[in-house]
Amino acid sequence: MADLSQQDWEEQLAKDSNAIILDVRTEEEIEEGIIPNSINIDIYKGQEFVEELEKLDKTKNYYVYCRSGNRSGQACAIMKNLGFDTAYNLQGGFMNWEGETA
């Protein structure tokens, strides 16, 4: 589990064949755009968030983001507690994202 700058997050993601991008924002926030190829599980859904995480492959490398980096940091901690091997938090979140969006 690590906090990565946008540059490190993008560079590491580009080289990672075992990567999944996880967006933990709300449906309203997603309307502002997403990082391409990301899946969404809203962290504010509480137990439902945990249940959805449990369905994911824990051996994948997760690149997690939210609006500012706070919720995604919390999501990474939850994922670690659930037994996920690897999760990276995007520092600054989507609001500071300068890469491609969809």
Side-chain angles (χ1 to χ4, degrees):
M1 308 297 160
D3 291 325
L4 298 179
S5 69
Q6 177 177 326
Q7 181 178 349
D8 291 344
W9 201 81
E10 265 189 300
E11 287 174 2
Q12 196 163 315
L13 178 61
K15 296 182 283 190
D16 192 340
S17 62
N18 197 35
I20 293 181
I21 304 170
L22 177 61
D23 180 343
V24 298
R25 297 176 301 155
T26 64
E27 288 180 26
E28 293 79 26
E29 290 172 308
I30 289 171
E31 291 174 9
E32 299 168 14
I34 62 168
I35 296 174
N37 304 312
S38 61
I39 60 171
N40 172 253
I41 306 174
D42 181 353
I43 194 170
Y44 285 147
K45 294 203 171 166
Q47 186 59 35
E48 186 180 330
F49 175 73
V50 173
E51 290 167 5
E52 289 299 314
L53 285 179
E54 289 284 16
K55 297 175 185 176
L56 300 176
D57 183 345
K58 294 181 180 178
T59 65
K60 298 283 186 188
N61 299 325
Y62 290 87
Y63 292 77
V64 187
Y65 73 98
C66 65
R67 186 184 62 81
S68 67
N70 290 332
R71 283 173 287 167
S72 49
Q74 293 169 358
C76 287
I78 292 167
M79 292 171 82
K80 181 179 180 185
N81 288 340
L82 292 175
F84 284 80
D85 293 337
T86 311
Y88 302 106
N89 178 36
L90 175 61
Q91 290 178 324
F94 189 77
M95 67 182 193
N96 291 328
W97 179 253
E98 295 172 359
E100 188 180 343
T101 61

